[in-house]
Amino acid sequence: MIQHTHDTILVVDFGAQYSQLIARRIREQHVYSRIVPYTISLDEIKAIGPKGIIFSGGPASVTAKDAPHPDKRIFALGIPILGICYGLQIISVLNKGAVMRPDRREYGFAHLTHIDPSSELLKGMPDASQVWMSHGDSVVHAPEGFICTASTENCPLAVVENHEKNIYGVQFHPEVVHSTEGYMIISNFVLDICKANTDWNVGSFIESEIERIKSIVGNKKVLCGLSGGVDSSVVAALIHKAIGNQLTCVFVNNGMLRKGEADLVIKIFRDTFKIPLRFADAEQHFLDALKGITDPELKRKTIGKVFIDVFEHEANEVKDVTFLAQGTLYPDVIESISPSGGPSATIKSHHNVGGLPETMNFKLLEPLRELFKDEVRELGKELGLPDEIVYRHPFPGPGLGVRCVGEITKERLDTLREVDAIFIDEIKKAGLYGEIWQALACLLPVKSVGVQGDERTYREVCSLRAVTSEDAMTADWFRFPPEVLQRAASRICNEVAGVNRVLYDITSKPPGTIEWE
Ligand code: XMP
């Protein structure tokens, strides 16, 4: 992990669904935040020297025998602490308060009342502010030395504060948007109580990261797999700014790209940014390898393997490459405790180009591994990438291959490419592209009977999907105005020869995943 000179707020993770959101809310205040597991030692905390600590929520009950808890001596460090939900409860039980499990868990909206004017945490919050509750346990006796500074109808001790020790707790979740003024609580804590410097911004990140890349790479060569997505594009632009033509990018046409994708990438990187770009046209190689395969996992593995072959070939051509650059983001690398609250730390790691590092003896260069997606987009803007790259919806590594349900053939991919292009075009025309996390089309191996121009048709079915999401971990289906879907469906049936029926997928995640395969 990089040592930052920025003031840091630590988010101590008790297995919460929302730890990443807490970290993001802090960074939105231009303060650097970092998520650490609750098992972090006192020495490690001291070494980081945070300006403040936030205890996250978590799925466990503090009343359970093996409930996760931090080193109790953390309260004596003199560092301000804010506990959220489980975080408040753990502060309570470790400081002579009491927590009980009522018959019913409280879930949903509540309103903060009886706000104490002396509250430091709730400064500026209007009375009856809406907050989001999601808890089983409740604090029934405030911890020793704490005062209650706000309540809700079902939760008398909704906010507690100890001004002398600078320790605070809230039962609800200020980090979620449903807590409409929650950001004020985070801001009051981070800026007023912790007095953290607001020195975390994209400009300062670019400066320090360029220096870091230069010192790591020296005069060696770097190879970057470019996909046309925002992450790899930002990585390439940033590294190029640091080391110029020591960077070579490789763009692989696997035959499963979106319409116009290869041209766009070449135009931007080779022609506009003047970054050395190798274009590996491997469409036939991929199609041959995928012939007859319908199993989703086997498809992914086959695509991954061919990708490695092609990439390896390109790397050999470039010669003497030491580093492989990847667009790994913070959510991919966060060390998170297991949901059961067990002590074992699981590290979520994700390689954009499946398994490349292990097989190819590169050193990894991952300049975005501290950033969230929205920060990467900001960085892309600052580096001068065009909006069509920066605000592009995410696209999976295996491309249209995981959207072409059933056997992958050139003909079916061409059909899907057209469907996808029409769907995205209609979304853009309706001005909705920016409201959607990801929109996609799948071609299904199902034929249905239709009628067009008095003729019977018997063609494949496509399914459209658009979701809203914060981080792709969960997602909800996007509510289109019906006329947008109608236009898309009508154009698809009229303009794409292979399709005569259009479905709209209204499955949220969970239970569905965003991609079909
Ligand atoms: P799922 O389908 O698991 O996808 O809900 C979550 C997000 O990840 C993207 N995705 C991938 N991205 N390589 C990637 O770089 C992959 O193999 C891959 N599979 C899914 C997906 O598009 C969505 O944004």
Side-chain angles (χ1 to χ4, degrees):
M1 182 68 72
I2 312 159
Q3 287 304 321
H4 281 274
T5 51
H6 304 282
D7 280 356
T8 300
I9 303 289
L10 281 190
V11 178
V12 174
D13 180 20
F14 289 94
Q17 220 180 329
Y18 297 134
S19 290
Q20 289 189 32
L21 265 187
I22 302 171
R24 282 178 54 157
R25 296 288 170 262
I26 299 166
R27 291 199 190 175
E28 282 164 12
Q29 307 293 326
H30 300 293
V31 173
Y32 180 67
S33 65
R34 183 170 150 189
I35 301 174
V36 293
Y38 74 88
T39 46
I40 186 168
S41 72
L42 225 52
D43 285 341
E44 287 172 294
I45 294 177
K46 284 182 194 160
I48 296 166
K51 295 290 279 189
I53 296 173
I54 295 186
F55 289 171
S56 79
S61 167
V62 289
T63 57
K65 214 166 63 223
D66 52 356
H69 59 83
D71 189 320
K72 204 177 163 191
R73 291 168 298 173
I74 199 168
F75 298 111
L77 290 176
I79 301 171
I81 296 176
L82 167 65
I84 293 176
C85 194
Y86 183 89
L88 157 69
Q89 294 155 12
I90 205 77
I91 289 173
S92 301
V93 295
L94 294 178
N95 290 280
K96 302 190 184 148
V99 171
M100 281 203 355
R101 171 147 291 212
D103 293 342
R104 287 176 49 198
R105 53 182 286 126
E106 188 185 10
Y107 186 79
F109 296 112
H111 292 93
L112 272 191
T113 56
H114 304 95
I115 295 180
D116 189 318
S118 76
S119 170
E120 292 177 359
L121 199 59
L122 306 176
K123 213 168 56 191
M125 291 269 287
D127 205 42
S129 251
Q130 176 182 289
V131 294
W132 178 256
M133 289 284 190
S134 174
H135 62 113
D137 293 346
S138 281
V139 177
V140 288
H141 286 297
E144 204 171 76
F146 285 65
I147 55 165
C148 170
T149 55
S151 310
T152 66
E153 194 181 336
N154 292 326
C155 183
L157 294 167
V159 183
V160 297
E161 308 187 18
N162 182 331
H163 296 162
E164 195 190 324
K165 292 192 170 164
N166 260 338
I167 303 177
Y168 304 78
V170 293
Q171 183 52 75
F172 50 89
H173 288 271
E175 70 277 22
V176 304
V177 286
H178 309 300
S179 294
T180 38
E181 275 86 25
Y183 66 94
M184 292 172 86
I185 293 178
I186 305 275
S187 159
N188 287 339
F189 179 70
V190 169
L191 303 183
D192 295 347
I193 294 169
C194 301
K195 304 202 176 354
N197 266 331
T198 52
D199 59 359
W200 172 256
N201 60 52
V202 159
S204 71
F205 175 83
I206 292 177
E207 265 172 49
S208 60
E209 199 55 26
I210 283 180
E211 286 315 307
R212 201 182 72 95
I213 293 168
K214 278 183 179 164
S215 75
I216 291 176
V217 174
N219 58 4
K220 304 275 194 315
K221 282 193 201 169
V222 180
L223 196 64
C224 177
L226 208 52
S227 70
V230 60
D231 305 340
S232 64
S233 299
V234 170
V235 166
L238 181 64
I239 296 179
H240 189 252
K241 207 171 162 74
I243 58 164
N245 287 356
Q246 282 165 258
L247 169 74
T248 301
C249 290
V250 175
F251 180 80
V252 178
N253 175 20
N254 57 13
M256 289 168 277
L257 304 171
R258 289 166 285 189
K259 192 174 176 181
E261 189 138 40
D263 293 342
L264 176 74
V265 171
I266 291 174
K267 180 167 82 61
I268 290 168
F269 288 91
R270 193 186 276 168
D271 301 346
T272 313
F273 275 96
K274 312 274 183 227
I275 296 179
L277 175 67
R278 296 181 66 84
F279 179 72
D281 195 353
E283 179 176 30
Q284 202 51 50
H285 192 159
F286 279 91
L287 289 176
D288 290 347
L290 286 163
K291 207 166 176 20
I293 296 178
T294 55
D295 177 72
E297 271 314 293
L298 192 54
K299 266 187 196 175
R300 278 180 174 269
K301 286 192 179 124
T302 306
I303 294 169
K305 178 169 178 325
V306 178
F307 198 93
I308 292 170
D309 288 349
V310 175
F311 207 81
E312 209 153 33
H313 174 78
E314 293 297 311
N316 285 337
E317 297 282 305
V318 177
K319 291 195 178 71
D320 303 325
V321 172
T322 308
F323 293 93
L324 175 75
Q326 287 205 143
T328 312
L329 304 192
Y330 196 40
D332 306 326
V333 295
I334 287 170
E335 296 166 352
S336 146
I337 55 167
S338 61
S340 62
S344 66
T346 45
I347 298 172
K348 293 184 224 159
S349 69
H350 162 109
H351 295 296
N352 291 347
V353 280
L356 276 178
E358 280 103 301
T359 54
M360 296 179 75
N361 279 331
F362 287 126
K363 289 184 187 160
L364 279 185
L365 196 58
E366 296 176 316
L368 310 183
R369 57 184 290 123
E370 298 266 339
L371 303 185
F372 290 107
K373 191 96 178 174
D374 45 353
E375 292 174 318
V376 172
R377 292 204 158 112
E378 227 183 296
L379 186 59
K381 288 284 286 177
E382 187 81 14
L383 289 165
L385 289 170
D387 284 1
E388 50 190 332
I389 292 276
V390 171
Y391 295 110
R392 239 166 164 212
H393 290 171
F395 190 60
L400 296 181
V402 289
R403 299 178 181 173
C404 195
V405 182
E407 188 176 1
I408 297 175
T409 63
K410 166 102 171 76
E411 190 190 6
R412 295 190 75 223
L413 286 169
D414 284 340
T415 301
L416 182 53
R417 241 186 296 275
E418 291 303 320
V419 173
D420 179 75
I422 292 173
F423 185 35
I424 299 296
D425 184 46
E426 286 302 327
I427 291 174
K428 284 185 175 163
K429 278 188 188 150
L432 297 172
Y433 190 78
E435 289 180 34
I436 294 168
W437 167 270
Q438 195 168 2
L440 56 105
C442 289
L443 189 65
L444 310 185
V446 174
K447 284 190 171 175
S448 83
V449 174
V451 56
Q452 262 174 311
D454 293 336
E455 286 210 13
R456 177 187 189 272
T457 58
Y458 186 52
R459 294 177 185 157
E460 279 188 321
V461 176
C462 74
S463 170
L464 307 181
R465 181 152 173 74
V467 294
T468 52
S469 178
E470 282 269 355
D471 51 14
M473 302 291 286
T474 59
D476 194 13
W477 60 281
F478 184 73
R479 272 65 167 175
F480 277 109
E483 58 277 14
V484 179
L485 287 176
Q486 192 204 330
R487 262 197 309 274
S490 141
R491 274 190 64 194
I492 289 167
C493 292
N494 284 331
E495 296 174 31
V496 186
V499 172
N500 68 352
R501 193 173 295 266
V502 179
L503 314 179
Y504 185 56
D505 183 349
I506 57 164
T507 320
S508 57
K509 174 184 179 176
T513 50
I514 294 176
E515 304 290 345
W516 271 50
E517 292 191 330

